[in-house]
Amino acid sequence: MSENQFIKLRKEKLAKIRALGIDPYPVESGRTHKVADLFEDRQTWVDRAESITLAGRLVAMRRQGKLGFGNLEDDSGKIQLYVSKSEIGEENYELFKLCDAGDFIEATGIPFFTNSGEYSIRCSKIRLLCKNIRPLPAVKERVENGKTIRYDEFSDIELRYRKRYLDLLLNPEHRKVFKLRSQIIREIRSYLNDRGYMEVETPILQPLYGGANARPFITHHNTLDVDLYLRIALELYLKRLIVGGFERVYEIGKNFRNEGMDRTHNPEFTMLESYEAYSDLRGMMDLVEGMIKHLAKNVIGKGEYIYQGHKVNLLGEWRRAGMAELVQEKIGVDVLGESEENLIALCKEYELELPVGAAKGKIIAVLFENFVEHTLIQPTFVCDFPKEISPLAKAKPGDPLLADRFELIIAGGEFANAFSELNDPLDQRERLEAQAALRDLGDDEANVVDEDFLEALEYGMPPMGGQGIGVDRLVMLLTENDSIKEVILFPQMKPGI
RNA sequence: GCAUCUUUAGCUCAGCUGGCAGAGCAACUGACUCUUAAUCAGUGGGUCCGGGGUUCGAAUCCCCGAAGAUGUACCA
């Protein structure tokens, strides 16, 4: 039977329902309670014998002649319906017989316990709210020793992503991930709001893109007849707001990067960035550490997480160490003390490829990425980044080679990036021009010179700390999911089936 | 981008060295007033991911392509 034949049968049922004078898609519904309300004190509900009305999706049907059972589910829970012909009447029972798993219905009745002890609704009336014409995948479940065993689970990973509504409908544990995601983001907001931060929105469509090293998406505005870029970072507009006098701002929003996709990269992803005037890198460490520990404690309620095959403790002490120090620990070379020539020779020895125009700082970063980063499992603030790969960060006081910047590494991956923000307009211009030079050498991910941003800096921007956190990856960690697609409702897929 | 693996009924899957395309659930028909993976009896349902090739014969072997997963590279 082809799918069309399935649908054909359902359409025939639709016609029968209409023939009974029933509108299968009525406007009004009259729910008085949600399912969870009835589970608060079941015996009291049963004793009270009050008639209530529920609305939700019929998710299972067990008909046996003149009696039938169904399971009704709303977003608060699931309850069994007891529908007997003698109690709801012949006509209403005809309608019940035409109902399928997948339909939305309204059930009116009184809570009671069945002979086998299951808390249910003894229906006096059912109403159709929406007739389903495409059968849902048949997933059955059984509860054994308090554990739910699911049969014929809807588990095809591609279908789950492409038809996420079915995944959410049929797999409660995936629904839970997105509930947690929402709670995490809500808690991030309240954490920052409580500390005097103001949430803002800045443009997604930008005449120039900046704030990160990445290739952008390009689009076109017809009326202005100009190309625009989808933002790759929030940074440069948030800094303009600090110039404008706001002292603590943050934004949670989508960034877009026209690059490869894999387990930890989606072309559009959610970023949190915050900026705080008169703070600095140390302040950002405290903020980031405090926030993530707060989320672990208050949203998830635990410290230990299994992520990418590693056991991570978020509630322990977080190490703070310099990049060069960490590299030295691993390969035993004092990279800051070595000459650029020696470092290049070292990379050759290790068969590491260096990008065009790489100088000492970049070489140290390459050594770090190859030998150290993936070995940092417990939360570690990697500080003292080379200045040349940190064009928006202030130089470290007393060390011209280094920038006052950290990245937070957990389970071998980056979770946050922060600086004491560069506010010297002349230095900033030089650094962006150096980036432009790299661009000319073929690095198409180097920053572009944003004159409007530089002009804003010339008016004066207070010293400040800023940080960015990849929200999707944080949700991955906190919900223990190894693929970014599991925490993005509609992940990017190639057009296919 | 490269490598490996996967793709068979609505869902979950089996299909051996090439020989009539299968199961469970779902659907349909019938029985059934306390079931709950309801049960019992019966019925129908296929572009075997797409295209080409080898062969008397291809879901199965070969080639090209598509989508997905994983790894790797690039990349936050």
Side-chain angles (χ1 to χ4, degrees), chain A residues 109-321:
Chain A
I110 296 166
F112 82 119
F113 289 100
T114 62
N115 289 352
S116 53
E118 173 145 354
Y119 188 54
S120 309
I121 301 295
R122 181 185 289 274
C123 292
S124 57
K125 186 186 175 191
I126 63 145
R127 262 187 80 222
L128 188 58
L129 296 181
C130 171
K131 182 69 193 151
N132 157 313
I133 63 161
R134 187 182 289 269
L136 294 169
V139 177
K140 298 209 162 190
E141 55 185 37
R142 180 169 58 130
V143 180
E144 195 172 271
N145 304 328
K147 268 191 177 171
T148 302
I149 303 165
R150 207 141 352 114
Y151 299 84
D152 301 320
E153 194 169 21
F154 181 71
S155 59
D156 184 283
I157 208 162
E158 186 176 352
L159 278 180
R160 282 184 43 231
Y161 297 152
R162 288 189 192 276
K163 306 205 179 292
R164 179 70 88 182
Y165 47 91
L166 291 178
D167 183 32
L168 295 170
L169 189 57
L170 301 169
N171 296 317
E173 70 278 17
H174 298 147
R175 207 151 59 211
K176 191 176 168 207
V177 168
F178 292 102
K179 271 191 192 164
L180 281 174
R181 180 181 172 118
S182 171
Q183 284 165 19
I184 288 164
I185 291 172
R186 190 171 60 202
E187 206 54 37
I188 289 172
R189 288 201 161 94
S190 85
Y191 190 88
L192 292 170
N193 293 343
D194 287 350
R195 281 158 183 75
Y197 279 84
M198 180 176 84
E199 183 171 10
V200 296
E201 292 173 276
T202 64
I204 291 173
L205 291 173
Q206 305 181 344
L208 280 177
Y209 59 97
N213 296 5
R215 293 204 306 265
F217 286 92
I218 305 171
T219 185
H220 187 79
H221 189 278
N222 290 340
T223 303
L224 297 178
D225 192 24
V226 289
D227 282 343
L228 293 170
Y229 302 94
L230 273 60
R231 68 182 172 197
I232 60 169
L234 312 173
E235 180 150 353
L236 301 186
Y237 281 89
L238 292 175
K239 283 180 170 172
R240 285 170 170 94
L241 295 177
I242 302 285
V243 171
F246 294 123
E247 293 188 357
R248 296 182 179 201
V249 296
Y250 73 95
E251 179 167 7
I252 295 173
K254 287 279 181 76
N255 284 344
F256 306 83
R257 299 188 183 176
N258 207 338
E259 280 161 3
M261 297 159 58
D262 61 27
R263 225 176 36 175
T264 58
H265 296 83
N266 196 63
E268 61 179 288
F269 62 100
T270 302
M271 193 78 184
L272 159 70
E273 287 191 29
S274 72
Y275 293 84
E276 180 174 336
Y278 314 113
S279 183
D280 60 14
L281 196 73
R282 268 54 59 186
M284 291 303 102
M285 285 194 218
D286 294 342
L287 181 75
V288 169
E289 182 172 344
M291 181 191 299
I292 293 178
K293 284 183 169 175
H294 175 85
L295 296 171
K297 230 179 288 176
N298 295 288
V299 180
I300 312 294
K302 64 173 185 177
E304 293 227 326
Y305 297 83
I306 306 288
Y307 181 64
Q308 309 287 1
H310 296 108
K311 193 186 268 184
V312 172
N313 180 14
L314 293 182
L315 295 179
E317 193 158 325
W318 293 19
R319 186 177 178 196
R320 301 177 178 193

Side-chain angles (χ1 to χ4, degrees), chain A residues 259-481:
Chain A
E259 280 161 3
M261 297 159 58
D262 61 27
R263 225 176 36 175
T264 58
H265 296 83
N266 196 63
E268 61 179 288
F269 62 100
T270 302
M271 193 78 184
L272 159 70
E273 287 191 29
S274 72
Y275 293 84
E276 180 174 336
Y278 314 113
S279 183
D280 60 14
L281 196 73
R282 268 54 59 186
M284 291 303 102
M285 285 194 218
D286 294 342
L287 181 75
V288 169
E289 182 172 344
M291 181 191 299
I292 293 178
K293 284 183 169 175
H294 175 85
L295 296 171
K297 230 179 288 176
N298 295 288
V299 180
I300 312 294
K302 64 173 185 177
E304 293 227 326
Y305 297 83
I306 306 288
Y307 181 64
Q308 309 287 1
H310 296 108
K311 193 186 268 184
V312 172
N313 180 14
L314 293 182
L315 295 179
E317 193 158 325
W318 293 19
R319 186 177 178 196
R320 301 177 178 193
M323 180 184 282
E325 176 190 349
L326 289 164
V327 172
Q328 185 165 6
E329 271 177 27
K330 267 286 167 302
I331 65 172
V333 177
D334 172 17
V335 284
L336 285 178
E338 288 292 340
S339 68
E340 192 172 310
E341 292 71 37
N342 285 348
L343 290 179
I344 291 173
L346 188 66
C347 286
K348 269 213 183 100
E349 210 175 296
Y350 285 122
E351 297 179 352
L352 297 180
E353 246 178 75
L354 290 174
V356 243
K360 188 170 174 181
K362 179 73 191 174
I363 298 169
I364 292 172
V366 167
L367 289 168
F368 171 77
E369 282 159 18
N370 277 282
F371 294 112
V372 184
E373 189 168 19
H374 63 275
T375 70
L376 299 174
I377 305 306
Q378 300 309 319
T380 305
F381 287 110
V382 178
C383 307
D384 302 342
F385 265 62
K387 194 173 101 175
E388 63 185 88
I389 58 165
S390 311
L392 299 165
K394 210 173 255 189
K396 196 185 179 192
D399 195 336
L401 185 70
L402 301 178
D404 209 23
R405 168 181 179 187
F406 74 70
E407 282 190 0
L408 170 63
I409 308 294
I410 303 174
E414 183 201 339
F415 278 77
N417 183 15
F419 334 129
S420 296
E421 303 294 342
L422 180 56
N423 63 347
D424 174 342
L426 302 179
D427 190 2
Q428 182 67 85
R429 175 175 293 280
E430 276 178 31
R431 305 254 214 118
L432 287 181
E433 280 169 358
Q435 286 282 309
L438 283 179
R439 236 187 142 63
D440 293 340
L441 286 173
D443 180 353
D444 58 359
E445 278 157 5
N447 280 256
V448 298
V449 180
D450 183 337
E451 285 296 340
D452 183 73
F453 169 66
L454 286 171
E455 184 177 329
L457 282 196
E458 288 168 2
Y459 286 105
M461 183 174 79
M464 64 175 178
Q467 63 86 23
I469 293 178
V471 173
D472 309 284
R473 289 189 193 170
L474 184 60
V475 173
M476 287 166 67
L477 170 64
L478 290 171
T479 62
E480 301 181 298
N481 275 295

